[in-house]
Amino acid sequence: MPAQEKRVTWAELFFDLVFVVAVTQVSGLLHDDHSWPGAARALVVFVPIYWAWVGTTMHANLHDVDRTRARLGVFAVGLCGLFMALALPEAYESHGLLFGASYWAARLLLFAMMRRSYRGVGFNPFTAAAFVTGPLLTLGGLADGDVRVALWALAAGVDLLVPFLARRRMARIAYEPSHLPERFGLFLIIALGESVAEACKVAAEQPATPARLAAVAVAFAVACALWWVYFVFAAGAIRYALRTAEVAMEVIRPVLPYGHLGFIGGIIAVAAATGEVILHPLEHPRADTAALLFGGTALYLATFGYTRWQMFHTVSTTRLSAAALCLALLPLATYVPALAAMAALAAVLVALNAWEARTAHRYEDPERDFPYPNVERRTA
């Protein structure tokens, strides 16, 4: 590990502002259509946006993006991301070509910027996106209806599959381990911020009744509890796993790009449902709203089971149990007012955090860099 750890730059933080807009737009799509097909369409357009962000983050990890040329490259990708975000509300209607062509332009830029770093690794996410998924998204933008959805879904699937297929070739790439957990944690903060923003936006457009204000307070408690689950316990474990892994890519690939897709997808689902609860706090939630609220939280918590297994080959009993409890409460949520259902969810998350704080306290070291109990430490 280098003597001085690589830190996130101001250029990267500015670049992230584009993706605040993008996450808001994806959440809006999900808010407008809670159905399973609607959720699938939101996921299909979110994957390219997320993958463009991941590609830029990998570029920033391997290069000094405080240099003028690299900084301008990051901003150029950011402009492409902004066009994608602008196209999202009508991506399946009149703005499909803008969405697809913007993604292809972003991937061509990233391919040009990363070509030297991946010399000798011809099959990698940057070549696949520049020459396969980018053209597929652009062709999809020219198509209509189900053909567009099918082409974009195929492109999203290829983007997700390539890092797994190329994992052995990419193992030779020397990523800087301290920078990546910080970057992915910041993207998760963007998603959590969107959930808070959605709550405020919906509440501001309606009368400030006591029930609605209570719903805003409970929604904020849910967001805080989701933050707590990740940043108080899991973030330190990810840094520790990267520092001590024999092959960093074997942790980077499954835990960061793949694992955080699950985390962020769950948060976006919760954000979309939160808006519905605040809009109608005393009405019984519809089944699709309850599915987003409890199912999104279950996905978020269950993903910790996946990432912990990938890092330490141990089972995250508490979080998987809490995920199962969320799924068990899901069918019951439609029989109570939406505010009560969200309060029950908040209670589950607060109880989970309280239990983990109690059990992990005596295992934590002063630097809080390894807060998982019952996991054998590895020497670096």
Side-chain angles (χ1 to χ4, degrees):
M1 189 168 67
Q4 186 173 2
E5 293 184 342
K6 185 179 181 71
R7 302 305 302 269
V8 174
T9 65
W10 297 115
E12 292 172 88
L13 294 175
F14 180 72
F15 170 81
D16 285 350
L17 292 177
V18 170
F19 292 87
V20 173
V21 179
V23 170
T24 299
Q25 300 284 47
V26 174
S27 181
L29 287 177
L30 201 53
H31 179 80
D32 293 339
D33 186 354
H34 288 4
S35 66
W36 284 109
R41 286 192 293 270
L43 176 62
V44 163
V45 293
F46 176 65
V47 169
I49 289 171
Y50 175 69
W51 227 237
W53 181 91
V54 169
T56 309
T57 293
M58 295 304 182
H59 163 68
N61 184 266
L62 295 174
H63 300 87
D64 181 6
V65 294
D66 268 341
R67 295 178 181 272
T68 300
R69 185 175 178 179
R71 190 182 292 132
L72 291 174
V74 169
F75 289 169
V77 176
L79 179 60
C80 295
L82 183 59
F83 285 146
M84 293 175 69
L86 291 174
L88 272 176
E90 300 293 329
Y92 288 105
E93 302 296 335
S94 59
H95 290 166
L97 181 58
L98 176 61
F99 182 82
S102 298
Y103 176 74
W104 194 9
R107 298 309 306 203
L108 287 172
L109 286 166
L110 287 168
F111 169 74
M113 292 189 292
M114 291 290 284
R115 186 172 54 181
R116 291 185 178 180
S117 299
Y118 276 78
R119 183 173 295 169
V121 188
F123 178 65
N124 62 70
F126 296 92
T127 56
F131 300 111
V132 180
T133 60
L136 279 174
L137 276 167
T138 304
L139 288 173
L142 293 169
D144 294 314
D146 292 341
V147 176
R148 177 179 296 180
V149 176
L151 288 172
W152 284 3
L154 176 61
V158 171
D159 269 342
L160 293 174
L161 189 60
V162 168
F164 176 78
L165 296 177
R167 63 190 185 280
R168 292 183 180 178
R169 297 177 181 88
M170 293 172 60
R172 71 184 72 170
I173 307 297
Y175 286 103
E176 207 290 320
S178 62
H179 171 261
L180 290 174
E182 188 176 5
R183 289 298 292 136
F184 281 86
L186 285 170
F187 199 98
L188 194 138
I189 286 285
I190 289 173
L192 284 171
E194 160 54 25
S195 70
V196 176
E198 177 70 13
C200 292
K201 176 184 175 182
V202 173
E205 295 172 349
Q206 303 295 325
T209 63
R212 187 162 289 116
L213 293 176
V216 171
V218 174
F220 185 66
V222 168
C224 291
L226 293 174
W227 176 93
W228 201 284
V229 171
Y230 183 95
F231 288 99
V232 173
F233 299 117
I238 293 172
R239 290 193 299 270
Y240 174 83
L242 278 172
R243 284 203 312 267
T244 58
E246 294 182 6
V247 181
M249 183 55 69
E250 292 304 311
V251 174
I252 290 171
R253 175 183 50 80
V255 174
L256 295 179
Y258 288 153
H260 284 70
L261 180 61
F263 292 142
I264 295 162
I267 291 171
I268 291 175
V270 172
T274 294
E276 288 294 315
V277 173
I278 293 173
L279 195 60
H280 308 290
L282 299 181
E283 297 180 12
H284 292 195
R286 299 180 311 185
D288 51 9
T289 300
L292 287 177
L293 187 64
F294 287 86
T297 304
L299 172 62
Y300 180 79
L301 296 175
T303 303
F304 286 104
Y306 162 77
T307 56
R308 182 166 173 179
W309 180 261
Q310 291 293 333
M311 292 187 294
F312 306 117
H313 296 290
T314 60
V315 178
S316 182
T317 307
T318 54
R319 296 181 183 194
L320 290 176
S321 298
L325 180 56
C326 288
L327 293 178
L329 291 174
L330 196 163
L332 303 177
T334 57
Y335 294 97
V336 298
L339 175 58
M342 191 163 64
L345 178 64
V348 170
L349 291 170
V350 170
L352 168 65
N353 285 319
W355 179 259
E356 289 194 336
R358 178 183 178 185
T359 57
H361 177 72
R362 60 195 179 103
Y363 295 94
E364 272 185 302
D365 62 28
E367 296 181 357
R368 302 173 67 88
D369 68 343
F370 191 76
Y372 275 137
N374 305 321
V375 175
E376 182 179 354
R377 288 179 179 268
R378 300 190 297 242
T379 56

